[in-house]
Amino acid sequence: MNAKELRRYFPILDQQVNGHPLVYLDSGATSQKPIQVIEAVDKYYREYNSNVHRGVHTLGTKATDAYEGAREKVRSFINARDTAEIIFTRGTTTAINTVVYGYARQILKPGDEIVTTVVEHHANFIPWQQAAKVTGATFKFIPLQEDGTVTLEAVKETVTANTKIVAIHHISNVLGDTTPIKEIAAIAHQHGAILLVDGAQSAPHKKVDMQDLDCDFYTFSAHKMCGPTGIGVLYGKRELLEKTEPVEFGGEMIDYVDLYESTWKELPWKFEGGTPIIAGAVGLGAAIDFLTEIGMEEIERNEKQLVRYAMEQMKEIEGLTIYGPQENRSSLITFNLDSVHPHDLATVLDSYGIAVRAGHHCAQPLMRWLKVSATARASFYLYNTEEDVDTLIAGLKKTKEYFGNVFS
Ligand code: 7TS
């Protein structure tokens, strides 16, 4: 199915914004939701809303089956070995913090190293920075190529016998580059370190296989992959999750509670304290069915082609700078146009119904590395067409003209 055919599943796209047909180019922030997901959540609330893992009544059993069924869908989607390795969280941010608080802060000592890059989203940066401060571990950065990409040589230079954790993006939400996770995992493991992958921008856009990539932890958010907000996934290898302490305590996650001691449920439930995001899991399950039916390879191929089509035309616009690799990019293009502030640029584009993001994209260390205070970003998903790109290009040309006239 091509993008034009897929659009009919996304009711939100069929509207006018500021008198123009909406062109939604902010899926990197959050994707739109197909009717299959909206209806699955609606059906849950209308027909079988109930708490999970508790009663034996019929609705409770149905809700539990749907919730645990969604876990199995996630397992299969990322090819994990076991549903015990799939933890539902609030999103990528919570998933990474679970590893940092439950695992990293327990094991790190002065002299140990946490290795990352300045490209990371704050969600995969600040938790490690703070863990380093508290534990006395060293916070180290893999040097980047001129275009911001990560080479294996640079990883090899940085990871040492003292490295305990490597934490890296799979696809950057600013540069759109893809890191070689499988090879980075091998380097980390040679040195006895573990690898956490921020998959927030990769799980929605490409096929990921935990057994093939061999990373130790992988994190992602449902809302960037056609699912609801408020739910995400922490994948972890079983032996590491066994060593990770729960970070939220309360109902649902306990085995036995006594006055001075308690024990926890087995995996994955020891990490899911309190009433979980049941409707979110149902929606995520429906999103996975939707993506799987289209095919992740197909989604990746179409998006890469669309990005290439957009880049070719953007490169023709004088004064437009594209950040990150110029070839082989995934799903998003980050740029600046002359000296126009990206917020002004996004405001003018919005007046034409074009939604792009402007700002630091939760990557302030990267903005400093790029020597800019902010950028604009157009991010694409399976429902974007070449017509959307043409509208963006026309919008950029009009913006350039507008600001050219204002400043001349
Ligand atoms: N990591 C990456 C690479 C991201 O792109 C994001 C969200 C996160 C982590 C955090 O995900 P959350 O679901 O926990 O918030 N990125 C963006 C973005 O690029 N624009 O808005 C949110």
Side-chain angles (χ1 to χ4, degrees):
M1 239 182 292
N2 63 33
K4 268 194 191 137
E5 289 164 333
L6 288 170
R7 286 176 80 82
R8 71 191 149 103
Y9 296 121
F10 293 84
I12 202 170
L13 296 176
D14 186 21
Q15 64 170 296
Q16 304 262 315
V17 169
N18 298 320
H20 298 269
L22 168 65
V23 174
Y24 186 75
L25 300 179
D26 197 18
S27 298
T30 197
S31 77
Q32 297 304 348
K33 322 301 174 200
I35 43 178
Q36 289 86 337
V37 169
I38 298 167
E39 282 174 1
V41 173
D42 181 82
K43 187 176 161 75
Y44 164 72
Y45 280 124
R46 281 176 194 274
E47 297 180 15
Y48 61 100
N49 171 55
S50 197
N51 215 325
V52 293
H53 305 139
R54 283 154 217 257
V56 291
H57 62 73
T58 303
L59 292 195
T61 309
K62 266 187 150 174
T64 304
D65 286 351
Y67 182 73
E68 292 304 327
R71 199 189 307 277
E72 166 54 26
K73 286 179 187 186
V74 172
R75 185 209 63 74
S76 164
F77 185 66
I78 63 172
N79 195 29
R81 279 183 193 82
D82 195 332
T83 49
E85 299 180 321
I86 307 297
I87 317 295
F88 285 132
T89 67
R90 195 165 59 77
T92 307
T93 304
T94 314
I96 295 172
N97 275 283
T98 301
V99 175
V100 171
Y101 279 90
Y103 179 76
R105 285 185 178 223
Q106 317 287 329
I107 62 143
L108 288 169
K109 300 181 305 299
D112 290 345
E113 296 167 352
I114 305 167
V115 168
T116 188
T117 77
V118 298
V119 177
E120 305 312 309
H121 186 283
H122 293 161
N124 195 31
F125 193 87
I126 311 170
W128 302 114
Q129 176 196 65
Q130 296 300 308
K133 270 175 86 166
V134 167
T135 61
T138 308
F139 198 31
K140 266 176 95 176
F141 309 101
I142 300 166
L144 304 174
Q145 298 297 102
E146 239 171 75
D147 62 359
T149 52
V150 175
T151 63
L152 289 179
E153 288 65 39
V155 177
K156 281 181 198 153
E157 269 170 32
T158 317
V159 176
T160 72
N162 293 326
T163 306
K164 292 290 179 293
I165 292 160
V166 180
I168 198 165
H169 62 285
H170 195 183
I171 294 179
S172 155
N173 67 322
V174 177
L175 304 177
D177 64 308
T178 306
T179 56
I181 291 302
K182 192 174 171 166
E183 291 76 9
I184 296 174
I187 297 168
H189 295 157
Q190 271 162 22
H191 291 86
I194 61 134
L195 173 65
L196 176 138
V197 177
D198 174 353
Q201 299 289 348
S202 60
H205 299 282
K206 69 192 272 117
K207 173 112 197 75
V208 290
D209 180 327
M210 293 305 112
Q211 296 184 58
D212 179 53
L213 292 177
D214 198 30
C215 53
D216 300 288
F217 294 107
Y218 181 90
T219 59
F220 58 101
S221 303
H223 71 92
K224 295 187 200 287
M225 48 186 284
C226 294
T229 50
I231 187 157
V233 173
L234 165 62
Y235 157 82
K237 285 184 183 163
R238 182 190 263 275
E239 61 274 23
L240 282 164
L241 288 173
E242 299 282 8
K243 289 184 198 155
T244 306
E245 297 289 328
V247 295
E248 280 192 329
F249 301 88
E252 280 297 290
M253 50 75 68
I254 53 90
D255 170 39
Y256 181 78
V257 180
D258 208 345
L259 283 188
Y260 300 105
E261 289 297 334
S262 299
T263 55
W264 321 133
K265 262 192 187 157
E266 59 187 345
L267 290 172
W269 302 289
K270 79 169 180 181
F271 293 106
E272 296 179 6
T275 299
I277 312 132
I278 307 164
V282 169
L284 171 57
I288 287 176
D289 287 343
F290 178 77
L291 295 173
T292 307
E293 178 139 353
I294 303 163
M296 293 310 293
E297 281 96 351
E298 169 100 358
I299 291 170
E300 183 182 15
R301 198 166 42 243
N302 290 346
E303 279 176 18
K304 282 202 163 154
Q305 202 174 321
L306 194 66
V307 167
R308 232 178 353 255
Y309 178 74
M311 296 247 309
E312 273 165 20
Q313 297 185 66
M314 287 170 85
K315 282 179 188 169
E316 297 295 312
I317 300 176
E318 211 185 305
L320 191 142
T321 309
I322 295 175
Y323 302 99
Q326 303 297 306
E327 308 268 314
N328 199 27
R329 289 175 74 108
S330 290
S331 65
L332 57 92
I333 304 173
T334 301
F335 59 95
N336 268 317
L337 182 60
D338 293 325
S339 54
V340 180
H341 193 282
H343 282 134
D344 295 335
L345 174 60
T347 306
V348 177
L349 290 177
D350 184 56
S351 74
Y352 298 117
I354 306 164
V356 300
R357 185 171 174 200
H360 54 62
H361 312 287
C362 302
Q364 288 188 10
L366 176 58
M367 293 296 118
R368 247 161 257 136
W369 187 87
L370 292 169
K371 299 191 174 58
V372 293
S373 59
T375 74
R377 182 188 70 185
S379 54
F380 305 93
Y381 208 17
L382 42 85
Y383 35 69
N384 289 119
T385 60
E386 291 194 349
E387 286 74 34
D388 289 344
V389 172
D390 295 342
T391 310
L392 170 68
I393 301 298
L396 289 172
K397 287 182 178 162
K398 281 187 262 189
T399 312
K400 191 173 161 65
E401 221 174 84
Y402 172 77
F403 281 100
N405 290 338
V406 169
F407 293 127
S408 60

